[in-house]
Amino acid sequence: EVQLVESGGGLVQPGRSLKLSCVASGFTFSNYGMNWIRQAPGKGLEWVAYISSGSSYIYYAETVKGRFTISRDNAKNTLYLQMTSLRSEDTALYYCARQEQLRYWGQGVMVTVSS
Amino acid sequence: DIQMTQSPSLLSASVGDRVTLSCKASQNIYKYLNWYQQKLGEAPKLLIYYTNSLQTGIPSRFSGSGSGTDFTLTISSLQPEDVATYYCYQYNSGWTFGGGTKLELK
């Protein structure tokens, strides 16, 4: 069974940093590209970042480019999102999702940016 | 960047109704479009991929159609468990979600 479990969220002050993790199981993690997608409270879905299976290709939404860094450790079956210079508008539920149609999603981890 | 516009934003329908949700792309995305269902408090679930391919386990009352810039998700006979927000998603150039259509029971 495919499972994606996010962690690392919490309350953080504006301008500070936070690192999210997504641990994958039930499939060969190193074979798939991965995404981070977020959803602000009461709002729609926003694609945030993508990383290819071997980390050769990385793309970001304009809203986070230069502040967020997506990475992965295939030996640990883990996807990461390093978030810096956080803003109130980054407050959201962050999901990791497997590429290939976004067929599988985690349950999400909440990030709240507030003073 | 490709923009995705869904309409209506809110749809009220009765059990048994045939329901049609619309999604329009700002430029040609061929058939690179998926539909997701998100129920309250849950992660999104893939319903339809590549415009009209039904994901395994999804009831056959769901169907998708379209190409280019205009796409449709149809529920042939609305069931109470279909109450949710539905999102379209393009992956032809970058990745973009539509704003969603909230479907409620009348």
Side-chain angles (χ1 to χ4, degrees):
Chain A
E1 178 193 6
V2 172
Q3 283 198 319
L4 298 168
V5 180
E6 303 95 338
S7 61
L11 174 63
V12 61
Q13 293 178 328
R16 302 298 292 266
S17 300
L18 200 62
K19 187 172 186 176
L20 305 182
S21 300
C22 168
V23 176
S25 61
F27 66 100
T28 304
F29 181 68
S30 59
N31 285 352
Y32 291 89
M34 296 293 295
N35 297 270
W36 286 101
I37 294 157
R38 68 184 181 183
Q39 187 169 34
K43 302 297 184 182
L45 300 168
E46 180 188 15
W47 171 81
V48 172
Y50 164 80
I51 185 168
S52 63
S53 57
S55 304
S56 297
Y57 301 97
I58 289 175
Y59 303 98
Y60 298 98
E62 287 298 322
T63 52
V64 306
K65 194 175 291 184
R67 300 187 299 121
F68 289 12
T69 301
I70 188 171
S71 62
R72 64 191 295 161
D73 185 336
N74 286 343
K76 295 183 177 180
N77 289 345
T78 304
L79 174 72
Y80 302 101
L81 186 67
Q82 176 70 54
M83 304 183 292
T84 64
S85 303
L86 282 162
R87 307 166 180 168
S88 58
E89 55 264 38
D90 295 319
T91 293
L93 187 63
Y94 284 74
Y95 294 101
C96 61
R98 197 177 85 174
Q99 192 65 353
E100 175 248 352
Q101 313 301 353
L102 302 186
R103 202 179 304 271
Y104 297 102
W105 297 61
Q107 83 288 350
V109 60
M110 189 67 202
V111 173
T112 303
V113 184
S114 174
S115 54
Chain B
D1 289 5
I2 297 177
Q3 309 302 317
M4 305 299 293
T5 303
Q6 291 187 241
S7 61
S9 56
L10 176 64
L11 180 59
S12 297
S14 301
V15 173
D17 282 354
R18 181 180 181 87
V19 172
T20 299
L21 285 63
S22 173
C23 177
K24 293 185 184 295
S26 61
Q27 58 187 271
N28 186 359
I29 60 169
Y30 303 93
K31 289 193 169 187
Y32 295 105
L33 182 112
N34 293 354
W35 289 95
Y36 299 86
Q37 176 193 65
Q38 187 178 33
K39 296 183 178 180
L40 198 61
E42 298 183 4
K45 177 197 295 186
L46 176 65
L47 297 177
I48 303 281
Y49 61 96
Y50 196 61
T51 294
N52 55 16
S53 295
L54 192 66
Q55 167 66 0
T56 302
I58 301 301
S60 59
R61 64 179 179 273
F62 291 92
S63 64
S65 63
S67 66
T69 60
D70 293 335
F71 300 86
T72 299
L73 174 69
T74 300
I75 307 173
S76 60
S77 178
L78 185 66
Q79 300 302 303
E81 61 266 31
D82 300 336
V83 168
T85 300
Y86 293 83
Y87 295 94
C88 61
Y89 164 80
Q90 72 81 23
Y91 53 103
N92 174 67
S93 175
W95 300 273
T96 318
F97 288 95
T101 292
K102 185 176 183 179
L103 178 58
E104 63 179 27
L105 289 179
K106 192 180 294 183

